[in-house]
Amino acid sequence: MLEASIAAWLLLCVGDFLSTFCYHVPEHVFGCLHLQTHHSSKQTFRHYAILAANFNVLLDGVLGALPYLLVAIPLWSLSPFGVIAGLGLGQLHVWWRHTSVIHWQTPKRVLRLCQFLHVTTPEQHWLHHQKTNVGFGDIFTFFDPPAKAWLRFLRLLRRQSRTSGTSVMGRLI
C-alpha cells in the first residue's frame, strides 16, 4: 500500500510539474491551441470538458495529459495500482476543478484541507480562466509562484527574439 501511495503522489506531483512547465506555461506564451480551447470567451465548460467532435479540444487535453502518462510508465514497475489510482485521481480533479462554471462552491472544510495540501480548488482554477497569468498548477498550487516566474522569463525571451529578429530556439541553441 505504501508503494501505491508513493506512485500515485509522484505521478500527480511530477506530472503536474511537467505539464505546467513544459506545456501549459509555454503554450500561454508561444502557442494558441490551449488559449483558444480553454480560455476563449467563446467557449463554455461544456465545449471544453465534454469531448465534442472538436479535434483541437481533444488535442489540448491529450497534450496536457501526456506528461502524466509519460511519468506513469516508469512508475508502473513500482505500483500498477498506484499509477491507475493517480491517473484516476487526476481525472477526477480535472472534472472537479471545472465545477465552478455550474456555481459550485467548495465547502469550507474541504477548502481548508485543499489549502493545507496545496490542491487547486475550482475557485482557484476559475480565477485562472478569468486571468490567464495567475493560478498555474493543474493540481497543486505550490507550482503557481515558479510558473509565474517561468511565464515572465518566456515572455521576455519571446519579446527579445522579436526585437532581434531571431527565433527563440535560435537564441537558446
Side-chain angles (χ1 to χ4, degrees), residues 29-127:
V29 177
F30 302 110
C32 62
L33 175 67
H34 175 75
L35 294 175
Q36 288 175 349
T37 61
H38 199 72
H39 294 286
S40 172
S41 60
K42 297 176 185 176
Q43 307 303 338
T44 65
F45 166 70
R46 231 176 235 123
H47 175 83
Y48 176 75
I50 298 171
L51 295 178
N54 185 323
F55 177 75
N56 287 339
V57 173
L58 179 60
L59 181 60
D60 182 50
V62 168
L63 291 173
L66 184 62
Y68 297 92
L69 297 172
L70 293 175
V71 170
I73 294 168
L75 289 176
W76 189 263
S77 61
L78 176 63
S79 173
F81 177 76
V83 167
I84 292 168
L87 290 172
L89 286 170
Q91 183 59 49
L92 288 173
H93 188 265
V94 168
W95 292 331
W96 178 61
R97 74 176 181 247
H98 286 97
T99 58
S100 57
V101 174
I102 58 171
H103 305 294
W104 163 271
Q105 291 229 322
T106 305
K108 290 186 189 226
R109 287 184 183 195
V110 174
L111 189 60
R112 282 194 293 271
L113 179 63
C114 288
Q115 289 170 338
F116 177 75
L117 297 173
H118 298 277
V119 171
T120 300
T121 63
E123 293 85 358
Q124 290 164 316
H125 188 69
W126 184 245
L127 182 62

